[in-house]
Amino acid sequence: MAHRFLVKDIAFQAGLSTATVDRVLNGRSGVRHQTTMRVQAAIAELEKQQIGGEVSGRKLAIDVVMETPERFSTAVRDAFEAEVATFLPTVFRCRFHFAEVMKQAELVQLLDRIRLRGTNGIVLKAPDVPEVAAAVSRATDAGIPVVTLVTDLPNSSRSAYAGADNRAAGETAAYLIGEHFDKAPGRVLVTLSSGRFRGEEEREIGFRRVLRERYPLISVTEISEGHGTDVATGTLAARAIAADPAINAVYSIGGGNRAVLAAFEAAQRPVRIFVAHDLDADNRALLTARKISFVLHHDLRTDARSAFRAVMSRSARGGIAARALSSVEIVTPYNMPAMG
């Protein structure tokens, strides 16, 4: 495998041991295909970072750790890589650690491994559970700023939160759906990827509050733990639709929208209004095709910029006030922002 980097640099970028990287580079047996792909991706990332690498300035390595569907992690990667160039002469070197589903123990182990290996900062999208908060505390105690992304860990020692006001986003979704029904009854399928994420919980709280106060004829059926993946989310949606013939709208908090739509189509049931989150490639296509009605979008590049700034300033520990909120935009097929 041709490369021009030190083995230790490739290992650092890939999050692997130098021995494992050496086995991959020398084509030795017993190496999993996934490991080889990680090494290849690390080399490609280092090659991109080398562009403009002669610029003098601070060089900061950060680790972006996310449990999230691939469609969203791809959008986040694109946003962070695009923002890197805007901080020159400071050079950010991003190491991405993404998984669609990550066991809690694996996530904690990863955070501890990053802390022990060394980093200038961690950007984290993770469940709000005590074990993760404890791992965040170990990182901040070691002098590593931790910035939560999209979903917060407000009871941890994280340095800052970068993302949308999730409660306001849920309230906005309730307003769009409530006004669409115009005082008529309706039943909304609310989809969460998992109840462990604070951001999704806040969206649902805001959504239910506005329905309760302003649109009492609209009720909710909730599905959760599909992790935003199409297969699991589609199965949960199909069961809910079959069990309740009154469901005629969707508020998708956790993704898997193609699968949710397929479940309605298989049941030959109409969807009067469908509100989704995040302008990823799937939602762009669905919105253009008029399969979904609105996308609640916040600019991931703004979130990346906030995260970089928090790492650069090594923000003070803790404090809910350390929140860099990006605005929520209601996107239709007619005002879709350009990609990039």
Side-chain angles (χ1 to χ4, degrees), residues 97-116:
H97 312 269
F98 296 151
E100 291 201 319
V101 181
M102 195 180 300
K103 292 180 180 178
Q104 188 171 290
E106 293 173 346
L107 175 57
V108 169
Q109 185 181 51
L110 173 60
L111 292 173
D112 285 337
R113 190 165 68 242
I114 291 169
R115 170 178 54 84
L116 294 171

Side-chain angles (χ1 to χ4, degrees), residues 63-67 97 107 110-111 114 122-125:
D63 290 83
V64 184
V65 179
M66 299 179 65
E67 180 185 338
H97 312 269
L107 175 57
L110 173 60
L111 292 173
I114 291 169
I122 297 173
V123 178
L124 178 63
K125 177 184 181 293

